[in-house]
Amino acid sequence: MFKKVGLLVVVLGMLCANSAFAYNVQLKPFKDEQNDYARESIYTLSALGIINGYEDGTYRANVGLSREAFIKLLVMARQLDTTAAIGKIPADVAKSRWSAPFISVANAHQWIDSLLDKKGMFHPDQTITRQEVAMLVGKALLESETEQTRQLWLGGDWKIERDTRAFKDQSAINAAMQPYVYYAANRGMMEGDPAGFKPSEPLIRKQAAAVITRLIDDRVSGQRVDFTGYYAIQSYPAIQQMDKLANVIFGWSHLAYSTAGTAALDVSTTVNKMPDGYEEALAAADYAQASKELMVFYDGSNLKDFLKDEPAQQSFIQSLLAVVNNPAYSFTGVSMDFEGLKEAGSAAEYVRFLQKVKDELGTGLTMSVAVPPIQYYKGYDLAAIGKLADTVILMAYDFTHNDSKLPSAPLPLVNDTVVTALKAIPKEKLVLGISKQANQWITSAGVTGKVLSPAIADVEKRLAMPGVTRTWELPYFLAKATFKDERGSHEIYYEDTQSIAKKVWLAKFYNLKGVSLWFMGNYTASDWDLVGAQTNNR
């Protein structure tokens, strides 16, 4: 939707002191990465900001992990609040210690009791062992169960698990930890091998990443999602998919503003127009019992002038009301998508305009608002918009940077955008926007051309041809295709079903209101199968 300019230069793992638009996220592979079972887990947690590498660009997967470091991972994975005042903590953990907030939370949840020695010391920098990790994970999992389930397990059911697994070294497992160790094993968080559980062995960093990822997967796997589909721009082939959607936003209008003092809602010109046969699409949304918002789009360079033009705003709002209140359409609300506000000075003016629209819509019609990442576009007051709008759709894409070949929506940047938005917008209102698109670079005679945006149908045709190499690119969590032809060497980063699934997973991790799909006509049969399997709308 909105097009981010190419000033967002990304720096690996560090903020660039001279650039306001650098990102403190991991966008390069670790220098010592290992292509094994833990690789995707490591990059997943890195994208979430739960784990970090070292300043030299390494991850050091085989290094042991301290107790305090694992406690931090566990608390972050469970999304527990660490901003409150530090409560009771072991005597050997100073309140000024970096890990104190995490240890305080873990202590409040009674996770670390079995880790304290006879003097009540925690020994935070001591290397954590496998049984200690299993105990902590088992306690965290049991905490989420019903009281009856906890009592049955702790009352003796854990012994059935112990006898079934029959670890050769089960007698070496700390007696107080055993019920929780076996619960972690029961839930598939940790396994032994023919030699046993190896309770006293240290847990290394890559093993910790795998365990924490399994723990998160366990929580989000059963969650379902409310999907919002944008029915716009050649979306008719997807009309039969509306039964998978809770909301449909129809991209059939835009602001017409060329003369000071007057403006209107245009539904008849440009690509954002009401199509012939619109009745069929509206009927399909009604049959699916989906809400129906009319998208109002504008990205003109004079948008900031419109936000100062009171007469133009009034004429536009009256024009908008005439359409949304027309019983022939039976829209349930509007979706405001005004893009390109770069100056902070526009933020308050945009909120005032949205307030006018909201007031005129009244209580019978909803208003959603699409917002970009605010690292570059400063004209969006997320907190104020979050209070005003019924739904905020976060356009977490179009980070494309030509010179560095940064694609549209790498997962670390998507996560960073969500985390920033959640500081201002309640998760119950925030929808993660996904844009189905591809970015293509062609290199010929050593010169790489400007980034291209090939049509999704053309990309799909190319992927089915011989001579195309497909890979799953980490830490981007995007599909990549490479091939050669008479034009040169091609690189395509592509939002395929696997990468869309990862972004849906991200939305579930943060318990967001839902996910939006821009635009419905671009999504493939495989994508829709994913949506159908994840949707709440059943």
Side-chain angles (χ1 to χ4, degrees):
M1 297 169 74
F2 82 94
K3 299 300 177 186
K4 177 154 289 214
V5 300
L7 293 179
L8 303 179
V9 181
V10 182
V11 178
L12 168 62
M14 303 172 61
L15 282 174
C16 176
N18 297 320
S19 173
F21 310 122
Y23 290 95
N24 187 24
V25 296
Q26 180 79 28
L27 283 169
K28 297 290 184 183
F30 291 110
K31 292 179 180 178
D32 59 345
E33 74 168 12
Q34 300 173 331
N35 190 17
D36 62 11
Y37 71 91
R39 181 171 181 258
E40 186 155 337
S41 294
I42 289 169
Y43 283 118
T44 293
L45 298 185
S46 175
L48 292 176
I50 292 178
I51 64 173
N52 301 297
Y54 290 86
E55 291 184 359
D56 62 358
T58 63
Y59 178 68
R60 306 178 195 176
N62 295 315
V63 172
L65 199 69
S66 68
R67 286 177 165 185
E68 62 185 343
F70 186 81
I71 289 293
K72 174 196 172 187
L73 301 187
L74 184 59
V75 169
M76 292 185 71
R78 301 306 275 182
Q79 293 186 290
L80 302 178
D81 183 18
T82 59
T83 61
I86 295 173
K88 184 178 179 181
I89 52 178
D92 61 339
V93 178
K95 289 191 174 183
S96 59
R97 193 179 182 95
W98 71 266
S99 60
F102 304 101
I103 294 171
S104 173
V105 170
N107 190 54
H109 284 257
Q110 298 181 323
W111 291 349
I112 65 173
D113 296 358
S114 300
L115 297 181
L116 303 179
D117 65 18
K118 294 180 180 179
K119 296 182 179 180
M121 302 298 184
F122 178 64
H123 306 288
D125 54 1
Q126 181 174 309
T127 300
I128 199 164
T129 64
R130 285 175 50 81
Q131 67 176 347
E132 291 170 349
V133 166
M135 178 273 296
L136 290 166
V137 170
K139 282 191 173 184
L141 286 169
L142 273 171
E143 185 180 66
S144 301
E145 297 292 348
T146 64
E147 180 63 24
Q148 181 181 18
T149 297
R150 286 194 296 273
Q151 291 301 324
L152 286 173
W153 184 265
L154 296 175
D157 281 0
W158 70 270
K159 295 179 182 179
I160 300 174
E161 186 74 22
R162 177 197 62 190
D163 296 342
T164 300
R165 291 191 176 269
F167 293 131
K168 292 181 180 179
D169 55 1
Q170 67 181 28
S171 62
I173 301 175
N174 180 287
M177 297 183 185
Q178 284 194 25
Y180 308 104
V181 169
Y182 283 107
Y183 194 71
N186 174 269
R187 294 288 293 272
M189 299 297 108
M190 295 181 70
E191 301 286 345
D193 60 29
F197 188 74
K198 303 175 184 177
S200 297
E201 281 195 2
L203 192 89
I204 58 178
R205 283 166 60 83
K206 70 178 180 181
Q207 292 170 338
V211 170
I212 291 295
T213 304
R214 290 185 204 122
L215 185 64
I216 296 172
D217 285 341
D218 181 79
R219 175 172 66 84
V220 306
S221 61
Q223 294 177 215
R224 291 294 176 261
V225 177
D226 280 339
F227 285 91
T228 296
Y230 280 88
Y231 190 89
I233 314 174
Q234 301 175 344
S235 286
Y236 183 75
I239 196 171
Q240 300 302 321
Q241 307 295 344
M242 287 190 185
D243 64 332
K244 300 177 176 67
L245 305 174
N247 315 288
V248 181
I249 297 177
F250 294 90
W252 293 347
S253 76
H254 63 280
L255 165 66
Y257 177 64
S258 57
T259 304
T262 184
L265 183 75
D266 188 338
V267 298
S268 60
T269 66
T270 78
V271 70
N272 302 297
K273 65 180 180 180
M274 195 168 292
D276 295 334
Y278 67 84
E279 298 91 345
E280 184 180 1
L282 292 174
D286 286 335
Y287 184 77
Q289 297 183 317
S291 68
K292 301 177 300 182
E293 289 190 335
L294 176 66
M295 184 179 85
V296 183
F297 175 76
Y298 196 66
D299 67 349
S301 60
N302 63 347
L303 174 56
K304 59 182 181 296
D305 300 322
F306 172 78
L307 296 178
K308 299 178 184 294
D309 192 334
E310 296 285 343
Q313 291 175 38
Q314 290 302 320
S315 63
F316 165 75
I317 291 172
Q318 294 309 307
S319 177
L320 172 63
L321 291 173
V323 173
V324 296
N325 288 323
N326 188 330
Y329 308 131
S330 63
F331 289 118
T332 60
V334 300
S335 183
M336 303 303 300
D337 183 15
F338 281 13
E339 302 182 10
L341 295 173
K342 300 176 184 177
E343 293 83 11
S346 298
E349 294 167 348
Y350 187 40
V351 169
R352 282 194 291 270
F353 167 71
L354 291 174
Q355 183 68 65
K356 295 175 190 175
V357 174
K358 180 69 172 176
D359 290 345
E360 291 295 334
L361 291 174
T363 58
L365 296 169
T366 61
M367 183 179 75
S368 65
V369 179
V371 298
I374 60 170
Q375 288 90 342
Y376 184 74
Y377 291 95
K378 302 297 185 182
Y380 301 85
D381 183 340
L382 296 188
I385 292 172
K387 290 179 181 178
L388 186 60
D390 297 292
T391 300
V392 181
I393 298 173
L394 182 63
M395 298 183 291
Y397 45 82
D398 283 338
F399 291 101
T400 311
H401 181 244
N402 188 72
D403 293 342
S404 64
K405 295 184 182 178
L406 181 71
S408 170
L411 192 69
L413 285 178
V414 174
N415 178 77
D416 185 62
T417 303
V418 171
V419 170
T420 300
L422 284 173
K423 294 176 181 177
I425 302 169
K427 63 184 179 182
E428 295 80 11
K429 285 190 174 186
L430 190 63
V431 169
L432 175 59
I434 300 175
S435 176
K436 175 82 171 178
Q437 60 178 276
N439 306 119
Q440 181 176 14
W441 284 269
I442 305 174
T443 301
S444 179
V447 178
T448 301
K450 295 292 184 181
V451 62
L452 305 174
S453 300
I456 296 302
D458 292 339
V459 173
E460 288 290 327
K461 289 178 182 177
R462 172 60 68 176
L463 293 177
M465 294 180 181
V468 178
T469 300
R470 300 183 64 172
T471 54
W472 177 234
E473 289 297 297
L474 303 178
Y476 289 166
F477 288 88
L478 291 169
K480 184 180 180 181
T482 57
F483 63 93
K484 294 181 179 180
D485 62 14
E486 68 281 357
R487 295 173 292 169
S489 299
H490 299 248
E491 293 178 84
I492 299 178
Y493 285 100
Y494 181 49
E495 197 77 68
D496 70 350
T497 303
Q498 187 178 7
S499 65
I500 293 168
K502 197 66 177 181
K503 291 180 172 66
V504 173
W505 180 95
L506 186 76
K508 294 197 292 185
F509 174 77
Y510 288 110
N511 295 301
L512 302 186
K513 182 176 184 179
V515 170
S516 71
L517 308 172
W518 172 263
F519 54 91
M520 289 174 62
N522 262 352
Y523 287 78
T524 67
S526 175
D527 300 334
W528 287 114
D529 287 344
L530 166 69
V531 173
Q534 297 286 336
T535 186
N536 244 335
N537 196 35
R538 289 187 168 184

